[in-house]
Amino acid sequence: MFADQPGQLQQRGLSRRAASLLITNQTAVPVEGEWLEAFWCEECQETKWYYVRQSSDRTYEISLAPRELWQQVAGVIDPHGNPSVGEFTRRNARQVNCHTLNAFHCLG
């Protein structure tokens, strides 16, 4: 996870001044001890994403991942898809077969 706004660092205990300086100098600051992780639920038979935070005493706090946290992670794919991708692109990206190329003819 990373923070790219001073308020995100302030929520984690940094002063307003220190948070602003860090973001100004680094643009994005890695956040240690926090991450998103997927767990399989046997009862509902689906994968759910959780926000995991490690405490200083080596315990973990786990909660369902709120939507706004997806903007602060690196290395995971948003399960709801990239909002800037159109439905046509999303639908065609899911098609994996020999007919996919036929949808994109070159006229010339």
Side-chain angles (χ1 to χ4, degrees):
M1 298 213 27
F2 64 89
D4 60 358
Q5 298 173 7
Q8 296 164 337
L9 293 173
Q10 286 179 267
Q11 290 174 345
R12 291 166 173 89
L14 261 64
S15 70
R16 187 170 66 96
R17 185 170 189 269
S20 294
L21 283 172
L22 272 172
I23 294 298
T24 300
N25 291 328
Q26 297 183 26
T27 309
V29 178
V31 177
E32 298 293 323
E34 299 180 22
W35 64 91
L36 294 183
E37 190 162 334
F39 292 99
W40 176 255
C41 176
E42 283 292 330
E43 285 183 27
C44 61
Q45 294 292 303
E46 66 182 10
T47 300
K48 295 195 180 210
W49 284 89
Y50 290 88
Y51 172 48
V52 182
R53 291 190 321 173
Q54 183 179 4
S55 301
S56 58
D57 60 352
R58 310 237 346 129
T59 60
Y60 298 89
E61 183 181 315
I62 300 174
S63 60
L64 281 174
R67 179 81 180 129
E68 61 272 5
L69 279 182
W70 287 99
Q71 265 93 96
Q72 298 177 38
V73 295
V76 294
I77 298 172
D78 189 335
H80 305 293
N82 183 339
S84 67
V85 173
E87 184 56 35
F88 174 81
T89 303
R90 186 171 299 136
R91 185 176 54 248
N92 282 289
R94 281 181 273 197
Q95 295 177 356
V96 182
N97 60 40
C98 64
H99 303 291
T100 305
L101 290 177
N102 292 337
F104 298 98
H105 290 63
C106 290
L107 299 175

